[in-house]
Amino acid sequence: MGSYEIVLTTDRTMMSNHHGKEFLGFLATGPALNMPEGLWLKLSAPKPKVDSEGKPVEAPYGMRKVEAKLLEAGFKVAIIDPDYLHKHLDSMKTLMFGHHDYFAYGPPSCEWWMITGKEPINRVSFRKLMENPTVRKAKEKGVKIIAGGPGAWQWLWELEYWRKWGVDSVIEGEVERVLVDIVEKALNNEPLPDYIYVGPQDTPSIEEIPVIKGASVNGLIEIMRGCPRGCRFCPVTLRPLRFIPLEKIREEILVNLKAGIKGVLLHSEDVFLYYAKGVEPNPEAVMKLHKLARELVGEEGAIGWSHLTPSTVKYAEEKYGLVSKLMNEIILTDKQRFIGVQVGVETGSPRLAKLIMPGKASPYPPEKWPEIVVDAFRIMHENNIIPAATIILGVPGEKPEDVVKTAELLDELKHYRSLIVPMFFVPMGAMKNLDWFRRKNVKGEHIEVLLKTLYHSTFWAEEIMDKYYLREAKMVPIRIMLKIFIKYVKYRVEKLKPQIEELLRH
Amino acid sequence: MNSLLSFEKKAYHIVVMDLETVDYGKIMDEIVNASSKGFRKFTIHVISKTPSPLYLEKLRSLIQNNIAYTITIRHHSYSEEEIKGLLRELKNIPHKVLGK
């Protein structure tokens, strides 16, 4: 048994490989609907494989980076599954938590919460973890508790929990440059700042970002940090743009393969902007990256993407034929029949696009945003790329006519295989000082968009499951459960339709 | 101050005496003033009767409004001895005291 002075952990909704399907993880951002909480958790976030010490084979990527940085600095550190924390109570001196969405204030959790009036599972699960006897005992014996990760900002709205659970420090931002210093102070039992915000000038250079030492969930690895587009609602864009060199990418893929992970999920705000000059894609760099990925994972392994931007999809295909070339020459194989990716559509209104994301359409003008989105969806549809697109409702400055434009765009997208998820505005990025979108602000136009996305996504979800997704024999039960869930949602909406129509009339 | 993090030693320090009586706008003004002199890191020492971390409610807007600087926030108890000790330790570090 290793003697770990620093233990990194998180709750079950994060410490899971989501059955090897990232997208299923999104179910944990909602409340358990029409089924017991335990079953919902099994569906969205099953327990991962762990060793005898409770170290998971796969762990969230951000936590792997923290672990790697601390290992390189010589600390005794391990990521431990939340069910095995008790095994490390004696050696533990610092307990560190990471999370995307500690209290379900991020998108889309807060939206499901607002719509259903029920606490999302991720919030419930994290609260249970913090109140579990081992964490309480650790605190009683003087273990320092530090919380970080992309959801760190949410602690500022949960000061009572912060006090009750005895969190010593909350860190927001990229931590590689400051981490070792903080942990040394914690281990020496010196007072820590209550809150640390790591600004852009303290973000780590490429050299300071370590290579992960253990496998990441579903083989996710980052290929770049930051984003040049400058969307005002997004925190990523506040940080300097850095590209991870191929050699480091190779090393991380090999770490994952060695642990038995079969594929790679390339993480970037826009995969096609790897080594781009501004927003002008670099086809050679993108091809090299994918050739490397395929060479390493082989024909049996899957290549995944985290995010793409519609304008890059359109531009890359129309100027270089890059999308079809990538798909036909590298990504699609006998085993891999599609690729899923998250795509930010955000609005159908050119006026709003100009206001909140003037660079997102670039190199095209923001006035052409709806046209760009339609073209990109067509290109993706033709190339077996399945976007899970997001739309933001309730952005400060939004007018009813902007929402109508979004509804019109949804009509144009209905022929293209995709999932479209509406999200309510959450103050983040350069807009983090603005107000939240609240239930009382929901107007008829919003309801219309919500319904259109629901019809769109349930229609295509069934088609996607029939032809592409969850096709493996072991996934049959999950597929059946999801299909039942979709039918239930459709049934409920149909039942509520007269009331919704009445609401829309007024 | 030995207990400061390395990057805090290069920061501009703002000591807020009795947070309950200080408008957060004054802290923001001080940050802007110091940034015009080239500072990009700030440590805010808060002396407040409101215990940690509940006092952060008063600083939430400041934190949320900042995207440009590295900021750390520390709480100190409301005792004369601790305040004197803090000021003594900041003697050779650029700082400003706000509030009474």
Side-chain angles (χ1 to χ4, degrees), chain A residues 156-157 159 162-163 178 181-182 185 190-202 238 432-433, chain B residues 2-7 40-41 52-53 55-57 60 64-75:
Chain A
L156 290 169
W157 270 266
L159 297 171
W162 182 338
R163 184 194 57 78
V178 299
D181 200 5
I182 293 165
K185 297 280 181 213
E190 291 178 47
L192 297 171
D194 290 329
Y195 201 84
I196 301 170
Y197 176 84
V198 183
Q201 72 280 4
D202 287 308
L238 303 174
K432 68 178 180 172
N433 57 333
Chain B
N2 286 333
S3 61
L4 290 178
L5 297 164
S6 304
F7 63 93
R40 291 290 177 272
K41 302 180 210 293
S52 176
Y55 73 96
L56 284 169
E57 190 172 355
R60 193 190 287 144
Q64 288 296 106
N65 277 310
N66 166 59
I67 53 172
Y69 310 120
T70 292
I71 293 183
T72 58
I73 301 174
R74 290 176 177 266
H75 184 266

Side-chain angles (χ1 to χ4, degrees), chain A residues 234-306:
Chain A
C234 177
V236 177
T237 203
L238 303 174
R239 303 196 180 112
L241 183 61
R242 287 145 293 167
F243 300 109
I244 310 293
L246 281 182
E247 202 36 57
K248 277 194 166 189
I249 291 173
R250 172 192 291 274
E251 283 181 57
E252 293 206 336
I253 295 176
L254 289 174
V255 167
N256 282 325
L257 292 176
K258 201 174 160 195
I261 313 296
K262 298 270 189 301
V264 58
L265 174 50
L266 303 172
H267 185 278
S268 155
E269 299 314 305
D270 189 341
V271 173
F272 289 173
L273 290 187
Y274 184 61
Y275 277 107
K277 294 181 185 83
V279 293
E280 168 81 32
N282 179 340
E284 197 188 332
V286 176
M287 288 299 283
K288 266 189 183 172
L289 167 71
H290 286 82
K291 276 181 188 161
L292 171 74
R294 179 56 76 206
E295 175 198 314
L296 294 175
V297 303
E299 291 285 308
E300 298 290 310
I303 296 175
W305 293 331
S306 66

Side-chain angles (χ1 to χ4, degrees), chain A residues 475-493:
Chain A
M475 301 307 280
V476 169
I478 306 280
R479 197 164 82 228
I480 291 170
M481 279 166 74
L482 279 175
K483 283 201 160 194
I484 292 170
F485 177 68
I486 289 169
K487 284 198 189 328
Y488 168 74
V489 171
K490 281 163 89 173
Y491 161 76
R492 290 285 296 168
V493 170

Side-chain angles (χ1 to χ4, degrees), chain B residues 29-55:
Chain B
D29 288 346
E30 194 50 36
I31 289 176
V32 173
N33 282 342
S35 73
S36 68
K37 293 172 196 152
F39 287 97
R40 291 290 177 272
K41 302 180 210 293
F42 297 89
T43 295
I44 302 170
H45 300 269
V46 175
I47 290 130
S48 167
K49 283 174 188 160
T50 313
S52 176
L54 303 181
Y55 73 96

